[in-house]
Amino acid sequence: MVTTTATQSILTSLGAGSGVDTASLVASLVQAQFAAKNASLTKQEDALTAQISSVAKVQSGITSFASGLKTLVQGGTLVTQPTSSNTSVLTATALPGAKLSGLAASVEVTQLATAQVATSASSFSGRDATVGTGNLTLTFGTATVDSGALTGFTAGAAQPVTIAIDSAHQTLSGIASAINAASAGVTASIVTDANGTARLTLKGATGTNQAFTLSSDTPALSALNVGVGQSATTIGSAAGNAQLKLDGVSVERSSNSVSDLIEGVKLELTGTAVGKPVTLGNTKPTAALSQAVTDFVDTYNQLQAVLKTETDSTTGALRNDNNATSLARALRALPLTTLATGAAAGDPINLASIGVSTNRDGTLSVDSTKLNAALSKTPDAVEALFANGTGATGGGIAAALDAISTAAVDQKVTINGNVEHIGLVGSTALYTAAKTKVTDAEAKVTTDTAAYQERLTKQYAASDALVAKYKASQTTLTNQIAQWNKTG
């Protein structure tokens, strides 16, 4: 700061002796000295900033495209879905990877799976009423219930679960919290009536084998006991299996959510209809697949437009970026990439075979006539092209695009034992590191500029002082000569 102030002071006084505008002269010399360097660094920085921005734009485009397509495929709208003739009794959905073409089944639901529910017969003054301390033990098995009471119980193979009730949990709400914290398969809640009295309610999981007893080891907690001959609680619902018939064959399941009865189908049982079977069929996603192809082509063309601009051989910021140009090549090959393996002869195996073609400018277009024909003639094969698979080829369009995206964005390779990131992530790192060097160089130029200006300022200040001294001597001599002439 002192040096800068001193330099400014010198600059202010420059020219006083010589009459030359040395301040402007110094400024011009300094600017001329570093103009080319500054211009070069500014150009480099602008180019690197543009490259970093372009990489981000391309990376965002391909990752958004890949993730959006993956979400669409995983959403299930592009696969054949099961149908139910009576959704008030049961609903049906496709499981991942299911092939439901030709699905036809009859399901009769005669009983829903139920859970045992036990409620304390005695009421308490409120949630914070003190009950007592001790241990509660949950035992699971099968039970018989009659008129709200357990009349029989057979313990299962599972080990009983003991829940400690200490002084911090001796209230009704504390006991409920302790039971829930045990995560033993029984949930506890407190029901409070209009008068403020409260009861503890225990609910197990559905299924015949999920009946339970609750026993205590202290008299204070016996008011919550659940078991044969116990009057402390009443059984509002008994544990039971769902009972249904698949094509006339009787089966039972412990849950109302059934995924192992019909291959590829998940059933949600919501009601009963004795003697009235529900018919299961299937519906093809024809309209969804047609829209998906159109949306894919539109998004592809948008991404290709970005790549075309950014990799333009003359004006593109990424014209020399191998990762960006490699991505453009990989995308151009996508319409001919095999997306389904094991297809029958004549079935479509890639996008080109369902009417997606590449135009001369690199964009894609859809032949709707060819697409509709494929959807009509080989709907299962078209659906297979959008299957939720894995791998660059043979796993569906989403997997193929995801493989391209992964390779383009952040492919990892091992070089000399070190894992290196290549792809667009590597490009960003390269450009960022180069920009940091430019920034450092700019900082050095700023420092060098200040030092050069200070040096020139001091040099011209010294010269100006010398000229002023000479001019003073000249004035003195002139005055002396004039005096001599006057005297003579």
Side-chain angles (χ1 to χ4, degrees):
M1 181 64 71
V2 173
T3 301
T4 301
T5 302
T7 300
Q8 291 175 341
S9 178
I10 294 173
L11 280 171
T12 301
S13 62
L14 278 177
S18 64
V20 177
D21 187 0
T22 50
S24 297
L25 179 60
V26 168
S28 297
L29 290 172
V30 170
Q31 194 278 335
Q33 175 70 18
F34 295 98
K37 185 65 173 179
N38 282 324
S40 175
L41 291 174
T42 299
K43 184 178 180 180
Q44 292 179 52
E45 183 176 23
D46 290 345
L48 289 168
T49 299
Q51 288 173 317
I52 292 171
S53 177
S54 294
V55 170
K57 188 184 299 183
V58 171
Q59 183 173 327
S60 175
I62 184 60
T63 54
S64 296
F65 189 14
S67 63
L69 183 59
K70 181 185 293 185
T71 299
L72 176 64
V73 169
Q74 292 178 340
T77 59
L78 303 183
V79 297
T80 298
Q81 291 291 333
T83 59
S84 168
S85 63
N86 189 347
T87 55
S88 64
V89 175
L90 65 86
T91 60
T93 55
L95 293 172
K99 297 181 179 180
L100 303 180
S101 179
L103 172 65
S106 172
V107 179
E108 179 184 351
V109 182
T110 58
Q111 178 177 296
L112 294 177
T114 54
Q116 178 178 311
V117 179
T119 303
S120 60
S122 300
S123 60
F124 298 86
S125 59
R127 299 175 56 88
D128 297 326
T130 298
V131 181
T133 59
N135 292 308
L136 293 173
T137 301
L138 278 169
T139 304
F140 294 91
T142 58
T144 56
V145 177
D146 184 22
S147 301
L150 282 180
T151 57
F153 182 81
T154 302
Q159 288 293 319
V161 177
T162 298
I163 304 168
I165 307 299
D166 55 21
S167 58
H169 296 86
Q170 62 181 332
T171 62
L172 194 63
S173 61
I175 291 172
S177 297
I179 293 173
N180 291 331
S183 300
V186 170
T187 57
S189 60
I190 299 172
V191 179
T192 304
D193 61 23
N195 297 320
T197 56
R199 288 181 171 83
L200 182 71
T201 296
L202 304 174
K203 184 176 183 179
T206 60
T208 301
N209 294 328
Q210 294 300 314
F212 62 87
T213 62
L214 182 70
S215 59
S216 61
D217 63 359
T218 60
L221 296 177
S222 63
L224 305 177
N225 284 353
V226 179
V228 177
Q230 295 289 340
S231 60
T233 54
T234 57
I235 308 300
S237 173
N241 285 342
Q243 297 180 5
L244 54 160
K245 294 179 181 179
L246 174 61
D247 295 329
V249 180
S250 297
V251 295
E252 292 189 11
R253 292 294 185 272
S254 61
S255 171
N256 291 315
S257 181
V258 182
S259 299
D260 61 350
L261 186 61
I262 301 174
E263 185 177 0
V265 178
K266 180 181 180 181
L267 301 177
E268 291 291 346
L269 310 182
T270 56
T272 60
V274 179
K276 298 179 179 180
V278 176
T279 300
L280 295 180
N282 67 86
T283 180
K284 298 290 185 183
T286 304
L289 284 170
S290 179
Q291 186 63 50
V293 173
T294 301
D295 292 344
F296 174 86
V297 168
D298 289 343
T299 307
Y300 177 98
N301 288 341
Q302 292 171 16
L303 178 58
Q304 279 288 27
V306 172
L307 278 168
K308 185 176 182 180
T309 299
E310 303 304 330
T311 59
D312 183 272
S313 59
T314 303
T315 61
L318 302 180
R319 57 186 176 274
N320 296 318
D321 191 297
N322 290 331
N323 296 313
T325 54
S326 294
L327 171 59
R329 287 194 298 271
L331 285 174
R332 287 195 293 270
L334 189 55
L336 295 176
T337 299
T338 298
L339 304 176
T341 56
D347 281 355
I349 59 173
N350 54 33
L351 292 177
S353 57
I354 61 172
V356 178
S357 59
T358 303
N359 303 317
R360 296 185 65 178
D361 62 356
T363 61
L364 299 182
S365 59
V366 182
D367 183 338
S368 58
T369 300
K370 189 173 182 179
L371 174 60
N372 291 334
L375 286 169
S376 176
K377 184 180 179 180
T378 57
D380 293 340
V382 177
E383 184 178 323
L385 301 183
F386 287 85
N388 184 22
T390 57
T393 60
I397 183 63
L401 184 60
D402 186 63
I404 292 174
S405 175
T406 300
V409 173
D410 191 17
Q411 187 179 7
K412 300 178 180 64
V413 296
T414 301
I415 302 176
N416 297 327
N418 298 318
V419 177
E420 301 287 346
H421 295 265
I422 61 176
L424 296 174
V425 170
S427 293
T428 300
L430 180 66
Y431 299 141
T432 301
K435 187 176 179 180
T436 299
K437 290 182 179 179
V438 170
T439 301
D440 292 342
E442 288 175 329
K444 186 177 186 303
V445 168
T446 299
T447 301
D448 292 346
T449 299
Y452 185 60
Q453 181 176 2
E454 182 180 356
R455 186 167 66 255
L456 284 182
T457 299
K458 289 180 179 179
Q459 289 175 352
Y460 278 100
S463 298
D464 197 59
L466 186 60
V467 170
K469 182 178 179 180
Y470 290 155
K471 289 178 68 176
S473 298
Q474 181 184 23
T475 300
T476 300
L477 288 173
T478 300
N479 292 336
Q480 183 65 53
I481 292 173
Q483 185 65 37
W484 287 343
N485 291 333
K486 184 182 295 185
T487 302

